Amino acid sequence: MAKRIDVSGLSAFYGSHKAIEDISMTVEPRSVTAFIGPSGCGKSTFLRTLNRMHEVTPGGRVEGKVLLDDENLYGSAVDPVAVRRTVGMVFQRPNPFPTMSIFDNVAAGLRLNGSYKKNRLAEVVEKSLKGSNLWNEVKDRLNKPGSSLSGGQQQRLCIARAIAVEPDVLLMDEPCSALDPISTLAIEDLIGELKERFTIVIVTHNMQQAARVSDRTAFFNLSAVGQPGKLIEIDETERIFANPSVQATEDYISGRFG
Amino acid sequence: MSHTAIQDRPAPVPPSRKGGLSSRSLPRWAPIGFAIVSIALGVGIGIGAGWESRIQWGLISGLIFVTISYVATSIVENKRQAKDRLATSVVWVCFILAIVPLFSLIWVTVSRGIKVLDTYFLTHSMAGVPGIEPGGGVYHAIIGTLEQVGIATVISVPIGLLTAIYLVEYGKGALAKAVTFFVDVMTGIPSIVAGLFILSIMLIADIQPSGLMGSLALAILMTPVVVRSTEEMLKLVPNELREASLALGVPKYRTITKVVIPTALGGITTGVMLAIARIAGETAPIILLVFGSQLINSNPFEGAQSSLPFYIWDQYKIGSEASYDRAWAAALVLIAFVMILNLVARGIARWKAPKTGR
């Protein structure tokens, strides 16, 4: 189940451009870790290195180590497909598969991996939809297309799809930025429930959201445009928001940035 | 230079009613009125001058229509509106100029082809029918077209589809660029060249003409069209869907077969159908490689066959009244075949398109 992530000396590149430089941190299991920082500072890039999605981008390249309970994700024998089954991801914009029904969307991960028992599928779909607090809204129309849902429902559908494959870690890349406050609240509540079972990492631009949902917060920054982003500090969320040890963090959080 | 140009520009003319947002405008029926007037004038001038050609009448009417629209609008409204009207009128005139030949083509084909088109025509071949006399039918040509186009499709769709998948999902670097370049070049190959290419192979290997040889030439023509259209459709699939699938731990090949292709299937089908429609009308490779026949030969792998375009050419060449009728009827059958394919493609595209709505 939930696993610890240990990152050491990680840099990521797009072609020859260095996007993030020398990041080391530990993400605790069964907790929520929030990444905050200005746009372009490499939060999302760093998040994508944690399940080897960074290398999907043309020219994407990574140096350094990411240990998932002592196993290096970037070891030479590691299969990126297996990594992504262990470390799930939810994207900024809801992206249900347009050709599939609600049921098929949730079942997609299992079906497309080919590793499932047919009679258990309905059970897993129901469990996942309940896990993402969507079951009551969609249980009567599971065969309708996934794109027929509202934006907030679609995002919870994507979360259900991600947790259906039973990952150990769940990465969320600004999961609420396209949603209204009510849907955002629903997802934040959901994050609070999911952290009992998963290690959660969430990127957010919303400081209050980071303060509300996370146990630990990491602040990223870049010295100038074109320069690689760096981890400034990571600490207990309360400490980061009340009494950060670096001046830049305080400036950013209190809005005095730049 | 630019300084003087700016200084020389005349000061903008102040609008007639300063500050007012509303101004005089032509009634909504004005364009239709202009059209009626200009057509009447065009016909009048045509009859008055004793011109025979209806095309001249039409062109004169079009010219008068554009002029009247511009002048009337610039008098009643203003210069800007007049320019707008001028552009709109030109677009309409061009649209009608483009549509007239199309409709007249369909009209002539239907009116002349319907004469001999009946079930007898569709179910009989030309066996034992002297070309200059009425009778006979197009059955052998329909069989030939269906088989040759069918085989060409079976050959070129998998090749085209897989090439497009390679180009969009995997290809990078020199090889992908080279493939793209040669696909573009192949799109422009004239059908007779494709035919000659296969013919040269036939001569070297001493192969007799058959439906299959024609299919091979048609496949050469069809493959690049399939590659191009499929490539464009695959590029339209949002990257987010690929990432969503990969992030679930789905291997790349399954992401492509289960997510990317289903999402693009409607467009791919349309592209394939259009490619089929393009090769269904090819005559040159059939003349060279299938040789043509008056008899029913349902075996595409041995012996000469006919096909609809070949049949049309052949009947036209005979040059009797009855053979002209048969040529037109066959043309109608060919147009109907292509049209049905298009309708089927649209149906599939609508049926398979990503679903929206609640």
Side-chain angles (χ1 to χ4, degrees):
Chain A
M1 288 314 291
K3 284 184 177 169
R4 172 196 308 275
I5 306 174
D6 266 304
V7 183
S8 55
L10 187 103
S11 302
F13 302 80
Y14 292 101
S16 58
H17 172 70
K18 197 182 225 180
I20 50 174
E21 185 172 41
D22 195 24
I23 290 178
S24 303
M25 68 160 70
T26 302
V27 176
E28 299 292 342
R30 286 179 223 287
S31 72
V32 179
T33 304
F35 293 173
I36 59 171
S39 291
C41 70
K43 310 177 294 289
S44 294
T45 305
F46 178 59
L47 193 75
R48 290 164 64 92
T49 62
L50 297 183
N51 68 343
R52 296 194 63 168
M53 283 297 287
H54 176 66
E55 64 206 48
V56 172
T57 323
R61 188 162 56 82
V62 175
E63 285 170 7
K65 272 206 283 193
V66 179
L67 298 182
L68 189 70
D69 273 4
D70 302 324
E71 192 178 6
N72 185 7
L73 298 187
Y74 288 92
S76 54
V78 172
D79 178 9
V81 170
V83 171
R84 292 175 200 139
R85 282 179 200 174
T86 320
V87 185
M89 189 162 193
V90 176
F91 294 84
Q92 186 169 356
R93 289 227 317 249
N95 51 3
F97 299 128
T99 50
M100 297 185 193
S101 67
I102 294 171
F103 184 96
D104 292 340
N105 257 290
V106 181
L110 295 174
R111 270 204 188 131
L112 301 188
N113 287 339
S115 59
Y116 67 97
K117 294 196 185 82
K118 268 207 175 102
N119 48 2
R120 281 209 57 231
L121 207 57
E123 203 179 303
V124 171
V125 168
E126 181 176 343
K127 190 176 149 208
S128 309
L129 282 170
K130 278 179 176 161
S132 70
N133 288 334
L134 193 61
W135 176 250
N136 285 329
E137 290 156 67
V138 301
K139 64 183 173 195
D140 300 324
R141 45 172 178 159
L142 289 172
N143 55 353
K144 290 271 161 53
S147 45
S148 68
L149 299 172
S150 75
Q153 289 172 326
Q154 285 188 20
Q155 192 62 303
R156 277 180 282 152
L157 178 65
C158 293
I159 295 177
R161 183 175 67 185
I163 61 181
V165 291
E166 291 288 326
D168 298 321
V169 181
L170 198 56
L171 308 175
M172 298 179 151
D173 190 356
E174 296 184 45
C176 304
S177 66
L179 305 181
D180 69 282
I182 294 169
S183 308
T184 302
L185 186 68
I187 299 217
E188 285 180 6
D189 289 346
L190 177 58
I191 292 172
E193 291 167 25
L194 292 176
K195 77 169 177 181
E196 308 295 325
R197 291 159 56 203
F198 304 103
T199 304
I200 294 181
V201 183
I202 175 171
V203 170
T204 178
H205 273 295
N206 183 330
M207 235 69 78
Q208 288 84 359
Q209 182 172 63
R212 281 194 300 266
V213 302
S214 71
D215 303 303
R216 283 159 63 82
T217 298
F219 174 61
F220 290 78
N221 204 351
L222 71 177
S223 46
V225 175
Q227 297 292 310
K230 286 179 181 167
L231 175 67
I232 304 300
E233 63 174 316
I234 176 167
D235 211 330
E236 301 295 323
T237 298
E238 282 167 28
R239 253 183 75 83
I240 289 276
F241 280 90
N243 187 20
S245 47
V246 182
Q247 183 63 33
T249 314
E250 195 179 337
D251 288 351
Y252 182 76
I253 288 168
S254 58
R256 266 184 281 129
F257 183 67
Chain B
M1 280 294 284
S2 60
H3 270 282
T4 55
I6 288 168
Q7 282 160 0
D8 289 346
R9 202 190 293 164
V13 184
S16 48
R17 260 177 282 170
K18 253 189 181 170
L21 290 176
S22 54
S23 57
R24 281 189 302 169
S25 62
L26 285 166
R28 297 189 66 176
W29 48 261
I32 298 172
F34 295 156
I36 293 169
V37 170
S38 50
I39 288 171
L41 275 176
V43 172
I45 292 173
I47 292 173
W51 289 331
E52 282 293 301
S53 163
R54 300 290 194 280
I55 296 171
Q56 265 172 327
W57 297 14
L59 289 177
I60 293 280
S61 303
L63 213 60
I64 295 174
F65 175 64
V66 172
T67 322
I68 291 183
S69 306
Y70 183 75
V71 172
T73 316
S74 59
I75 292 170
V76 178
E77 296 181 0
N78 55 37
K79 263 278 163 54
R80 185 177 58 78
Q81 294 287 6
K83 278 180 195 158
D84 179 46
R85 189 85 75 184
L86 178 69
T88 316
S89 317
V90 169
V91 167
W92 271 101
V93 169
C94 289
F95 166 69
I96 288 166
L97 282 182
I99 225 75
V100 162
L102 187 65
F103 269 95
S104 91
L105 182 117
I106 292 177
W107 172 249
V108 172
T109 313
V110 169
S111 62
R112 299 193 66 165
I114 209 83
K115 256 192 276 178
V116 290
L117 184 64
D118 51 21
T119 33
Y120 183 87
F121 184 73
L122 290 175
T123 51
H124 286 76
S125 74
M126 289 301 290
V129 180
I132 50 169
E133 279 169 31
V138 79
Y139 182 67
H140 60 304
I142 295 178
I143 292 280
T145 288
L146 286 179
E147 286 181 351
Q148 289 150 23
V149 170
I151 294 173
T153 308
V154 167
I155 296 171
S156 61
V157 166
I159 296 176
L161 207 62
L162 293 173
T163 309
I165 290 173
Y166 167 75
L167 287 177
V168 176
E169 306 288 340
Y170 294 95
K172 47 188 154 204
L175 181 59
K177 274 188 190 146
V179 171
T180 308
F181 175 74
F182 283 113
V183 166
D184 282 350
V185 171
M186 274 180 77
T187 314
I189 289 182
S191 56
I192 188 75
V193 175
L196 286 172
F197 171 65
I198 299 293
L199 184 68
S200 66
I201 294 176
M202 281 166 63
L203 293 176
I204 292 167
D206 194 23
I207 304 171
Q208 294 303 308
S210 72
L212 179 66
M213 293 301 122
S215 302
L216 291 178
L218 293 181
I220 293 176
L221 297 170
M222 187 176 171
T223 309
V225 183
V226 174
V227 173
R228 277 322 251 173
S229 55
T230 307
E231 198 186 344
E232 294 308 319
M233 286 304 136
L234 292 179
K235 277 183 189 163
L236 284 182
V237 175
N239 230 355
E240 295 157 17
L241 294 182
R242 295 187 180 89
E243 293 199 334
S245 177
L246 290 175
L248 285 173
V250 179
K252 189 165 183 176
Y253 77 96
R254 289 192 76 98
T255 299
I256 293 167
T257 52
K258 299 288 178 182
V259 175
V260 178
I261 290 182
T263 308
L265 194 62
I268 294 174
T269 316
T270 311
V272 168
M273 290 292 179
L274 291 177
I276 293 176
R278 182 196 184 285
I279 60 161
E282 288 296 349
T283 323
I286 307 300
I287 295 173
L288 275 180
L289 309 171
V290 192
F291 209 66
S293 162
Q294 308 299 330
L295 311 174
I296 297 170
N297 173 13
S298 51
N299 180 3
F301 302 104
E302 204 185 340
Q305 273 190 318
S306 189
S307 84
L308 283 169
F310 175 82
Y311 181 90
I312 296 167
W313 177 74
D314 195 39
Q315 293 298 321
Y316 175 78
K317 217 173 44 171
I318 293 170
S320 78
E321 194 63 34
S323 73
Y324 282 156
D325 285 346
R326 281 194 295 265
W328 283 107
L332 184 57
V333 171
L334 183 57
I335 290 180
F337 173 69
V338 169
M339 211 174 258
I340 289 168
L341 272 185
N342 269 314
L343 288 177
V344 169
R346 278 169 187 276
I348 292 176
R350 184 172 295 183
W351 173 50
K352 280 289 178 189
K355 289 156 190 71
T356 51
R358 321 227 139 200

